[in-house]
Amino acid sequence: MAIHGKVVAITGASSGIGEATARHLASLGAPVVVGARRTDRLDRLVTEIEAGGGRAAATRVDVTDPDGLRSLVTVAVERFGRLDVLVGNAGTTRISTIADLDVEGWAAMVDVNVKGILHGIAAALPVFRRQGGGHLVTVVSTSGLKIVPTQAVYAGTKNAVRTLLEGLRQESTDGVLRTTSISPGYVRTELVDNAVDDPAVREEVRRNMADLGIDPVAVARAIAFAIDQPDDVEIGDLTIRPTRQG
Ligand SMILES: NC(=O)c1ccc[n+]([C@@H]2O[C@H](COP(=O)([O-])OP(=O)(O)OC[C@H]3O[C@@H](n4cnc5c(N)ncnc54)[C@H](OP(=O)(O)O)[C@@H]3O)[C@@H](O)[C@H]2O)c1
């Protein structure tokens, strides 16, 4: 497989899609560098991957800080000699109407979901150019494809990333950089656990997610598919959602 031996750094790998992606790619022979703020979870993940025969390293990353992404990329290069893929997966959401004026929540979504990706691009692009190759994978959302009430700002941040990646792609047609946007629908993770303040609504959102959401490993497999293509083949956009999702 083209994936074997590729060095992959993943943001937001302490839970959900990022964690499943780290496990899956490591099982396919990719050394993985996992970043997030909850380092206890990252350390446990590295131990488990290594116990299964894989290679992994962890470092604390807050994607709202450009230094966090720089250190993620540095760990990849120092531990494994290069960086082939950056999976910009870290994300956060708040569920509320715009009229609720959750200004803090908006700022958090812009900082993590948009600036976090830009910080990753800033850290990884010089390494990709120096190496003569690299792949940027971002986890966006079907929220940006079907716009629904209470998710406007979240959808806006995800579509901002979609736009950024298309712009970057247009500027990078010399064959050095591949870009991929993965759009998951409902996936059973911790994402919505703190997305709503009202306990009753929160419980309902959690129940819906548990009922409808697919296993995060399904998204991990989609990410692996994009990475596994030959260098001259770019999977630009991939949507993966529950069969029952409206
Ligand atoms: N679940 C879904 O239904 C769904 C659907 C479409 C798209 N997505 C997207 O999928 C991605 C992964 O989310 P998930 O569903 O797997 O949810 P999750 O289990 O809540 O994972 C989110 C991850 O992002 C990390 N993160 C949040 N803020 C961060 C920050 N400032 N710096 C570094 N890491 C940060 C968290 O780690 P720490 O808290 O340890 O830092 C965690 O590892 C997100 O971009 C999300 O928007 C999810």
Side-chain angles (χ1 to χ4, degrees), residues 12 14-15 17 37-38 61-63 89 140 154 158 184-185 187 189:
S14 57
S15 61
I17 293 169
R37 294 164 305 176
R38 289 171 293 177
V61 173
D62 183 337
V63 298
N89 164 75
V140 290
Y154 176 70
K158 293 300 186 179
V187 184
T189 69

Side-chain angles (χ1 to χ4, degrees), residues 163-181:
T163 302
L164 283 172
L165 244 67
E166 176 59 12
L168 181 60
R169 188 185 78 78
Q170 295 284 351
E171 293 170 3
S172 319
T173 50
D174 57 1
V176 171
L177 180 71
R178 295 196 294 175
T179 59
T180 301
S181 293

Side-chain angles (χ1 to χ4, degrees), residues 5 7 31 33 55 73-84 127 130-131:
V7 180
V33 182
R55 288 190 288 163
V73 170
T74 302
V75 169
V77 173
E78 287 182 351
R79 276 291 300 277
F80 300 116
R82 53 188 289 119
L83 175 70
D84 295 298
V127 177
R130 202 164 57 235
Q131 293 173 171

Side-chain angles (χ1 to χ4, degrees), residues 1 6 27 30 47 54 67 70 80 84 118 120-121 123 147 157 162 166 175 184-185 196 205 211 218 241 244-245:
M1 290 179 87
K6 278 196 174 161
S27 78
T47 304
D67 284 343
R70 276 195 283 266
F80 300 116
D84 295 298
L118 285 169
I121 292 172
I147 312 298
T157 62
R162 212 184 293 277
E166 176 59 12
V196 191
V205 170
D211 172 46
R241 59 166 85 83
R244 290 187 296 135
Q245 181 173 330

